[in-house]
Amino acid sequence: MEGLLDHMLRDALTRVGGVDRCVSEFIRITDMLMPNRVFTRIVPELLNGGRTAAGVPVRAQLLGSDPVCMAENAAKLAALGPAGIDLNFGCPAKCVNRHRGGAVLLDEPELIYEIVAAVRRAMPPGMPLSAKMRLGYMDSHRTLDCAQAMVAGGAEELVIHARTKADGYKPPAYWDRIAEVRANVRVGVVANGEIWTPADAQAARAQSGCEDLMLGRGMVAHPGLALAIRSPAAPALTWGELLPLMEVFFLQVRQNVAARHQAGRLKQWLHYLRRHYPEAEEAYLRLRTVNEAADLHAQMFGRRGSPQLEAELCALAA
């Protein structure tokens, strides 16, 4: 989820528990071989054995339309030791689709096959390869064609966002349409889209037939969601328990993000948290006009973040 669920938020969310695996934001592949610093900037978990600080494996995601260039970059990325590689055929962003990336390729299952097959050949045999797709681009008449092309090319798992590109992120998600794919491919299928609560998860499983789920915005809004789905009897994550993780996140933002965007990143997360925590609603309304990171830190966490505190909290994220 470009611009939202980056490595800093992955770090915070995987500390809560319940997450089996993460997928990075996409790494855009055009016509060049990316230097290692691009891979490690987007997926710094590559410097930690391909895992978050909490030990959760991270697959690095590639997006592009040139089979040769995708394969060459996949080989270089694989040498850095990710927990696997994922291919993005689901991004609905206009700027991405305009340059033949993401969901627009769902009208070209033949090209999808070429991309997946080329990447699979370039990767070590034991490294997992998965692919993320939507039900289609403007409609869903080629859903099964695309899924079968990915499997024929060598994808070992499919993640299906249960909407087309034209549907965007508008509810509902059509989880029942994943069931046809699941019945016609020989690999694992993961259901995704519009899962905000444990009840949504139960409905997605029932309608799709999938046991495994991918959480996106729902996990950002409800950091304890994966744990609640896995262990319904587990105590709910309280606001007081979440605050230290939010502070670690914001300290990392202050280290890694341009100053003019730092406050916006914390307020972005607060905006999502408003769906689940009344305390986040209060904090968001109180702080939405604060744009200086140190002031925001002081007002949100009750301190400005001394060098000693920053060292202690960032050590938690190391």
Side-chain angles (χ1 to χ4, degrees), residues 67-68 70-72 74 113-123 153:
V68 173
M70 287 282 282
E72 291 175 347
Y113 167 79
E114 292 178 19
I115 294 168
V116 178
V119 169
R120 179 68 273 177
R121 288 192 297 269
M123 293 170 56

Side-chain angles (χ1 to χ4, degrees), residues 74-89:
K76 189 169 187 182
L77 172 60
L80 297 176
I85 292 178
D86 186 74
L87 300 178
N88 183 321
F89 299 109

